[in-house]
Amino acid sequence: MNPAEVATALMIERTLQASTAYRKVDDNLYVIKQGSAYVMLSVVPWGENKAMLRFTALLVKGLKMEAQLASQLLELNGHLRFGAFSWDPSESSVSFSHTILGGATLDADELLATLRDIALVADEYDDKLMSKYGGQRMRDLLEEAALERIIDKSPKRPVI
């Protein structure tokens, strides 16, 4: 890790350590839960001596892209203070993300302001998009995966 990546990771950890919604996943990956949404914070190297901090929330997976959805996402992008909605055709999913400069210039207020906006938009729009266009929210996908792991690990009993 370059010095800017280290400084960014330390700022995240110092700023969010008291939050019960915060989890460190890896050296450069953190997760914050907000309602039904999860925001991933990724520390990304930029050149040899710089870093970026990317905030990403997978909102809904399993959607069919249609003109009305594309139009709604583009219109919303024009009104938001931070971030933008995006479409991943390989996953049939809508995400919301924003990237800021990390390193020595990143401060706690900037980190928290960005995180707060991204988390609140993600928590609001995962529900709205799912109810209007279908699919599953990140929370639903995680709960489903956890249930499958529990069932796979439970002892097999004969069916009577």
Side-chain angles (χ1 to χ4, degrees):
M1 286 182 24
N2 72 41
E5 290 175 88
V6 172
T8 305
L10 289 173
M11 177 58 69
I12 294 167
E13 292 169 19
R14 270 189 257 126
T15 304
L16 302 177
Q17 68 186 354
S19 171
T20 58
Y22 156 81
R23 295 287 181 270
K24 180 176 179 175
V25 177
D26 204 350
D27 286 343
N28 288 346
L29 182 62
Y30 306 85
V31 175
I32 299 291
K33 183 178 185 318
Q34 171 67 42
S36 59
Y38 291 83
V39 180
M40 294 174 285
L41 286 70
S42 307
V43 180
V44 181
W46 181 26
E48 292 181 26
N49 299 315
K50 296 178 185 168
M52 299 178 295
L53 178 53
R54 183 170 294 137
F55 300 77
T56 305
L58 173 63
L59 303 183
V60 182
K61 185 176 179 180
L63 295 170
K64 181 180 177 194
M65 179 49 76
E66 47 191 66
Q68 184 180 7
L69 172 59
S71 178
Q72 181 181 1
L73 295 176
L74 287 171
E75 186 176 326
L76 288 167
N77 283 344
H79 297 288
L80 296 166
R81 178 171 46 180
F82 291 123
F85 291 95
S86 62
W87 168 253
D88 181 349
S90 67
E91 296 287 328
S92 298
S93 64
V94 172
S95 296
F96 186 68
S97 62
H98 185 68
T99 303
I100 60 176
L101 186 60
T105 61
L106 178 64
D107 65 36
D109 290 338
E110 179 183 16
L111 171 63
L112 288 172
T114 305
L115 178 58
R116 189 174 297 115
D117 268 23
I118 299 301
L120 291 174
V121 169
D123 187 37
E124 178 180 353
Y125 281 95
D126 65 348
D127 296 324
K128 286 182 176 182
L129 292 170
M130 187 184 75
S131 69
K132 190 168 185 177
Y133 301 103
Q136 291 180 288
R137 296 172 300 185
M138 182 62 138
R139 182 180 77 187
D140 302 326
L141 292 166
L142 290 173
E143 288 173 357
E144 188 176 283
L147 184 59
E148 286 177 9
R149 273 198 318 269
I150 291 169
I151 291 171
D152 287 345
K153 290 182 180 181
S154 65
K156 305 294 183 214
R157 295 190 177 126
V159 178
I160 300 175

